[in-house]
Amino acid sequence: MSDESTAMKELREVFEELDTLLKNPDVGGVLTARGVNVSLAIVAAEALLAYVEGDRERAAEDFDTVAEEISTRLAASKLGKDGPS
């Protein structure tokens, strides 16, 4: 096995562990309490994996989705806090 294959295998294993952690209910509860959407965190992790694997098109689409959703949710939360009740 080449060094590149070993390195990519190790990276994939890290991303699998991250996916498992993000889907853990205890971790999800902590993240949710911090205002983090677990589904978006998973998509962001998948985007980064796609990027390091060389799938730039999928990475770009997923990163765009994550950025748009975070921006939209942030704006909505600001309106909810600063806007009329």
Side-chain angles (χ1 to χ4, degrees):
M1 187 177 282
S2 74
D3 288 339
E4 183 177 335
S5 296
T6 301
M8 287 308 299
K9 181 180 182 231
E10 290 175 2
L11 271 172
R12 283 186 199 97
E13 288 173 359
V14 168
F15 280 100
E16 287 174 16
E17 290 176 26
L18 177 58
D19 187 64
T20 299
L21 274 173
L22 289 171
K23 291 177 180 176
N24 178 298
D26 293 331
V27 173
V30 169
L31 293 176
T32 299
R34 298 180 78 191
V36 174
N37 181 289
V38 175
S39 295
L40 286 177
I42 291 169
V43 174
E46 290 172 352
L48 184 55
L49 177 59
Y51 185 71
V52 299
E53 287 184 328
D55 189 349
R56 293 178 294 177
E57 186 173 335
R58 190 178 106 214
E61 289 174 11
D62 285 351
F63 279 130
D64 283 346
T65 298
V66 170
E68 183 178 319
E69 284 293 323
I70 291 172
S71 294
T72 300
R73 291 164 191 250
L74 179 60
S77 71
K78 285 182 178 179
L79 283 176
K81 291 179 184 173
D82 299 336
S85 300

